Structures are given as structure tokens and as C-alpha cells.
């Protein structure tokens, strides 16, 4: 499909051959604009249904020229119907879009496959980003696949261990920055304006285009229906904007006549957008020193704030805040009721739904999709930090006692002793040392 760039404020237009990230005239954000008329006579759903369930299933709607994208088979993540969680939240129709199922474990891969493909098309040799962790993990992987050099700037001491390991193993040049994400982003924006470094933060309009596929997938997974509400954790605020754009397009293309309400969720200690919306401010009300356990959304000056506020207002949604305590409880609840282990930022969507329901922002029986943005294994430390003491048992009798207590004695006959169960003692079981 034909596309070009357009400024969201002054509406100036630029051809796709220009390497720009913001409007050269007024400095505001750019959007990718398509000529949808080309698609009006095509049965898109039928076309999609013949293809693999991943991001490139929707290739007519992606802004690339080449037929050979840089891909790791991203997208096609599960939409999990969460009956047990729904009952606990007094809100039965909850689905979780589990973006941890992506190749590097977060939704960022949907954007990077498009963004890095564009980097190659535009002739870039080096890609760069600032990151709270997942962007660097994802960019490092796609740069490796594409054979490009990759530089990532991350806030020192504030990146989850798994994410840092990913960036390192994929061969990125990892630079630790004394300062927070907002500072790191300012630095890479400056660098990419001086040197030929292709910037792949979400200020890059092409990256966001890949993330619209979350909306297309949810539509197909719900049997060509649109949910009533979509709940999304908000950091730099690109994803909520992208998902909203995706749903609007489904309507524009005549595939549905409805759109969902978008509810963004921020952590209390990093909630610039929630406040900007509440106070109806025309300027972004920044948070100078954002703080939260959910490091992926520890952002005080979201670059896509304007797009996100428009998404929330147009969709008649809102932005709410949750505490770190609520986030960690929601993380545990989702893992222990549904078998889905997500990172703290992702659990903000579950905590957010609980809060939105209690505030009457979501009605019982409405179909809600919570976007779980990244995998829990990226940040194992936070779980272990929160775990009370392990049960450590020395021998088979103790283990037997523990199991009996757990099951309740009524389940067991009095004769089942450790010997009857055929258990060895710990000593018998241990492997003799070779020395
Ligand atoms: C990047 C990220 C977010 C925030 O997304 P934005 O588009 O920056 O709002 C939330 N959760 C996880 C796990 C992320 O990696
Ligand atoms: Zn402009």
C-alpha cells in the first residue's frame, strides 16, 4: 500500500525516502499515512486467513517496500481466555494477549521487524536506541538477524537482568547511562540527528506501525469481533497509540462498526499521562524522577504523549494509575490462576483492570482484553525478592509430613509411611563424590 509521513500537528507531508523522526517544520510527531482506497475492493480477512498467524500476515497494512522483511516470526501471540482470573475480578470476560510469546519476549518485536526492515531499505548500517530493557533486547536481536551494528543506551542499574543479557548475547554495544530512560532517549535523539545512526525508539513512526497488528490479531482471535475495552500498560505511550490506530483502521476498512475504549495504565510513581489527562493540560506534565518496580514503564516524559492522549480521548477511554504493590499482587495472581508469567509492567494491565472495575469504568460482562506486554522470565529477581522463605526439608519423613499436611490427613491412610511410599532418604539419594 502507498504510504507517506505526515505531521500530527501541522499536517506537513514527507515522502518515505526521508530519514526523519519528527516534523522538520514544527518538531511534532509523525504518523504514517496510507492510501486505504487500494484495499477497499480486497477481501482482507480471506486473504489473511490463508497466511501464517504472525505480523506479516497483515503485510498490505505495513509500510515496507521490500518483499524480504527482517523477521523472527514475531506476532501470532495467544489470546488467553482467563476464566479463573475473571471470577476473582468479578468480571468474567477477561482475555490476556500474551506478548511474552514473541521471539525476544515482548511486543517490541512487532515494531522492530518493521523498523529494522525500514532501516535496511533506507540504507542504514547502524541502529541505535535508548531502552528500559525490552527495546534494546529486541533491537539487538533484529540487528543481528539483519547484519547491522547496534548501539543501545540503558539506565545503569535499572534494567532487568534478563533484558540486559539479551542485548549482550545478540552482540549489541551496550552503554550504561548514569541517568534515567528519559535522559538516555534525549542523548540518542541528539546522536541520531548528528550521525548516520537509525533511531528505533517509538518516536520512529515505522516502529509503531508494526505494533498495530495487536489490534488485527485480537479482532481475528475474537472471531472477527472487537472487544469493549483494551487495557494497556503505558510507558513511552507508543503502544496504546498504535493499538488504537489498528482498531480505527478495522472500522475504516469496513471490517467492524465498533471500536474499543482504550484504558492506559501507569505506575503511581511514573504517571505523567494520567496527571496530564486529569488536569486537562495542553502541555505534558513531566515526572522528573519516575520510580516504580515496573522498570519497563519507568518513564517520566513519554515521547508519544500527544498520540496517546488522542487515542484515549477519541476512544472515550482513560488513563489510570496503580501502585507497585498492586502490580506485584496482580503479577502473582495472573501467574497462579492462569499459568501466565508476565513481567511487572505487563501485570499493570491486570492491576489496572481490577481498579477500573472497582471504579465502575468497566461493566460486568464487557469483553476486556488486557495486553500483557512482556515475559516474566526477563525479571526473575523481582519474584525471588518477593518470595518468603523456601520450605527446606531434610529427609523423607519430613517431606512425607509436609505432603500429608498439604493434602489433609483424611486423604491418606494411616499406614502410608515413608517406607510404604518407597521413598529413599536424602542421604541414600545423594550421588557419591568421585574423590
Ligand atoms: C515498552 C514496554 C511497555 C511500554 O510501552 P510504550 O509503548 O512505551 O508505552 C510496557 N511494558 C513492557 C513490557 C514494555 O517492554
Ligand atoms: Zn509539523
Amino acid at each position: 500500500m502507498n504510504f507517506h509521513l505526515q505531521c500530527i500537528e501541522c499536517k506537513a507531508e514527507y515522502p518515505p525516502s526521508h530519514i526523519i523522526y519528527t516534523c522538520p517544520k514544527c518538531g511534532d510527531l509523525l504518523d504514517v499515512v496510507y492510501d486505504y482506497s487500494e484495499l477497499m475492493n480486497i477481501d482482507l480477512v480471506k486473504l489473511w486467513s490463508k497466511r501464517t498467524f504472525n505480523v506479516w500476515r497483515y503485510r498490505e497494512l505495513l509500510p515496507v517496500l521490500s518483499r524480504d522483511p527482517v523477521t523472527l516470526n514475531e506476532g501470532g501471540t495467544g489470546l488467553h481466555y482467563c476464566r479463573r482470573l475473571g471470577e476473582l475480578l468479578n468480571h468474567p470476560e477477561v482475555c490476556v494477549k500474551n506478548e511474552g510469546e514473541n521471539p525476544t519476549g515482548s511486543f517490541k518485536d512487532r515494531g522492530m521487524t518493521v523498523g529494522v526492515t525500514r532501516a535496511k531499505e533506507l540504507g542504514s548500517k547502524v541502529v541505535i536506541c535508548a531502552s528500559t530493557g525490552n527495546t534494546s533486547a529486541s533491537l539487538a536481536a533484529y540487528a543481528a538477524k539483519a547484519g547491522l551494528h547496534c548501539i543501545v543506551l540503558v539506565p545503569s542499574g535499572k534494567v532487568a537482568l534478563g533484558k540486559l543479557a539479551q542485548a549482550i548475547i545478540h552482540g549489541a554495544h551496550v552503554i550504561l547511562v548514569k541517568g534515567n530512560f528519559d535522559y538516555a532517549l534525549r542523548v540518542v535523539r541528539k546522536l541520531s540527528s548528528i550521525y548516520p545512526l537509525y533511531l528505533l525508539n517509538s518516536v520512529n513512526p515505522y516502529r509503531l506501525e508494526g505494533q498495530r497488528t495487536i489490534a488485527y490479531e485480537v479482532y481475528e482471535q475474537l472471531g472477527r469481533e472487537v472487544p469493549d475495552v483494551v487495557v494497556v500498560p503505558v510507558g513511552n505511550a507508543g503502544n496504546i497509540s498504535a493499538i488504537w490506530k489498528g482498531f480505527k483502521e478495522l472500522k475504516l476498512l469496513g471490517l467492524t462498526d465498533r471500536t474499543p475504549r482504550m484504558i492506559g495504565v501507569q505506575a503511581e510513581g511514573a504517571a505523567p499521562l494520567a496527571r496530564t489527562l486529569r488536569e486537562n493540560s495542553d502541555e505534558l506534565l513531566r515526572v522528573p524522577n519516575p520510580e516504580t518496580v515496573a522498570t519497563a514503564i519507568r518513564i517520566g516524559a513519554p515521547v508519544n504523549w500527544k498520540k496517546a492522549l488522542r487515542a484515549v480521548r477519541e476512544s472515550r477511554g482513560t488513563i489510570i494509575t496503580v501502585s507497585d504493590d498492586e502490580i506485584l499482587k496482580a503479577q502473582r495472581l495472573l501467574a497462579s490462576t492462569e499459568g501466565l508469567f508476565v513481567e511487572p509492567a505487563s501485570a499493570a494491565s491486570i492491576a489496572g483492570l481490577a481498579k477500573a472495575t472497582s471504579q465502575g469504568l468497566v461493566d460486568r460482562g464487557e469483553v476486556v482484553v488486557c495486553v500483557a506486554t512482556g515475559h516474566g522470565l526477563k525479571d526473575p529477581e523481582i519474584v525471588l525478592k518477593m518470595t518468603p522463605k523456601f520450605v527446606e526439608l531434610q529427609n523423607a519423613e519430613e517431606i512425607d509430613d509436609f505432603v500429608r499436611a498439604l493434602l489433609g490427613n483424611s486423604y491418606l491412610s494411616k499406614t502410608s509411611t515413608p517406607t510404604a511410599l518407597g521413598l529413599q532418604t536424602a542421604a541414600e539419594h545423594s550421588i557419591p563424590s568421585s574423590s
Side-chain angles (χ1 to χ4, degrees):
M1 196 171 32
N2 268 312
F3 64 93
H4 62 268
L5 298 172
Q6 185 176 45
C7 174
I8 65 164
E9 206 54 64
C10 78
K11 306 290 176 196
E13 297 188 356
Y14 306 95
S17 54
H18 282 207
I19 299 185
I20 48 173
Y21 310 102
T22 49
C23 177
K25 294 208 175 89
C26 78
D28 221 314
L29 297 169
L30 297 170
D31 190 17
V32 182
V33 177
Y34 303 88
D35 180 6
Y36 295 102
S37 65
E38 292 172 38
L39 298 181
M40 288 306 183
N41 296 319
I42 298 176
D43 185 346
L44 280 173
V45 171
K46 193 168 157 207
L47 191 65
W48 295 342
S49 69
K50 292 184 187 138
R51 298 175 181 159
T52 311
F53 191 50
N54 66 24
V55 163
W56 293 97
R57 180 182 177 91
Y58 309 102
R59 68 179 78 114
E60 286 78 16
L61 289 158
L62 297 174
V64 296
L65 308 169
S66 80
R67 297 198 157 271
D68 187 21
V70 181
T71 175
L72 295 169
N73 193 27
E74 51 291 315
T77 58
L79 183 70
H80 302 263
Y81 181 63
C82 295
R83 187 181 56 79
R84 275 158 52 75
L85 178 72
E87 280 167 7
L88 290 170
L89 297 183
N90 195 23
H91 190 286
E93 306 301 319
V94 184
C95 298
V96 169
K97 183 70 170 156
N98 189 25
E99 289 296 291
E101 294 168 34
N102 276 296
T104 79
S106 84
F107 74 84
K108 300 296 197 298
D109 296 344
R110 294 178 185 274
M112 287 308 172
T113 185
V114 174
V116 173
T117 299
R118 282 298 286 152
K120 270 188 84 175
E121 286 179 355
L122 292 163
S124 302
K125 297 281 181 277
V126 187
V127 290
I128 188 169
C129 71
S131 178
T132 60
N134 282 330
T135 299
S136 61
S138 184
L139 182 57
Y142 284 86
K145 180 79 180 177
L148 302 175
H149 294 284
C150 176
I151 304 172
V152 305
L153 269 69
V154 298
S156 183
K158 293 292 181 183
V159 175
L161 217 55
K163 303 175 186 180
L164 200 56
Q166 287 178 289
I168 293 166
I169 201 74
H170 290 304
H173 300 278
V174 179
I175 300 172
L176 303 180
V177 176
K178 279 207 178 108
N180 60 27
F181 168 83
D182 302 295
Y183 172 73
L185 182 59
R186 280 210 306 279
V187 174
V188 295
R189 287 183 74 171
K190 184 84 193 168
L191 286 171
S192 65
S193 72
I194 302 170
Y195 303 108
L197 304 168
Y198 194 70
L199 178 64
L200 273 160
N201 280 101
S202 58
V203 66
N204 182 317
Y206 295 115
R207 214 193 90 184
L208 291 187
E209 295 307 283
Q211 296 168 205
R212 288 139 73 229
T213 55
I214 292 178
Y216 311 152
E217 286 184 9
V218 165
Y219 165 79
E220 289 203 272
Q221 286 171 308
L222 289 176
R224 298 175 203 169
E225 292 282 348
V226 165
D228 297 299
V229 176
V230 178
V231 189
V232 192
V234 172
N236 224 3
N239 207 28
I240 192 169
S241 320
I243 297 171
W244 172 241
K245 184 175 177 184
F247 280 113
K248 273 201 303 190
E249 289 172 308
L250 290 171
K251 189 172 173 198
L252 192 90
L253 292 164
L255 299 177
T256 175
D257 50 16
R258 314 173 51 230
T259 50
R261 306 197 297 285
M262 303 298 295
I263 298 187
V265 187
Q266 295 199 297
E268 279 172 3
L273 275 180
R275 189 169 153 228
T276 305
L277 183 70
R278 198 172 53 237
E279 301 190 7
N280 213 3
S281 164
D282 291 335
E283 292 295 318
L284 174 66
L285 303 174
R286 282 158 222 264
V287 174
N289 297 303
E291 212 41 89
T292 167
V293 279
T295 49
I297 52 172
R298 186 174 168 272
I299 293 175
V303 69
N304 290 297
W305 69 275
K306 242 185 213 183
K307 285 186 179 177
L309 287 186
R310 283 181 190 181
V312 164
R313 288 191 176 116
E314 276 174 30
S315 74
R316 285 174 290 114
T318 189
I319 296 180
I320 59 177
T321 61
V322 292
S323 68
D324 279 3
D325 192 45
E326 289 169 319
I327 288 172
L328 294 175
K329 284 201 175 109
Q331 183 191 30
R332 194 165 290 253
L333 188 68
L334 181 64
S336 60
T337 58
E338 298 293 345
L340 300 174
F341 181 22
V342 305
E343 67 170 280
S346 313
S349 65
I350 309 297
L353 174 59
K355 184 157 277 184
T357 307
S358 72
Q359 292 179 353
L361 295 168
V362 178
D363 291 332
R364 204 192 155 97
E366 286 195 302
V367 176
V368 180
V369 171
C370 291
V371 181
T373 41
H375 203 290
L377 282 173
K378 285 168 169 284
D379 192 359
E381 286 180 308
I382 193 73
V383 179
L384 297 175
K385 220 183 275 173
M386 298 295 298
T387 302
K389 270 203 283 184
F390 287 105
V391 182
E392 192 177 346
L393 301 171
Q394 300 297 331
N395 55 45
E397 278 94 32
E398 279 182 33
I399 298 169
D400 187 66
D401 288 346
F402 176 80
V403 172
R404 278 167 177 271
L406 199 70
L407 290 174
N409 277 325
S410 59
Y411 279 103
L412 299 162
S413 86
K414 291 201 173 64
T415 57
S416 58
T417 62
T419 345
L421 288 168
L423 292 175
Q424 297 170 301
T425 66
E428 280 168 341
H429 193 71
S430 66
I431 300 160
S433 67
S434 55
S435 61

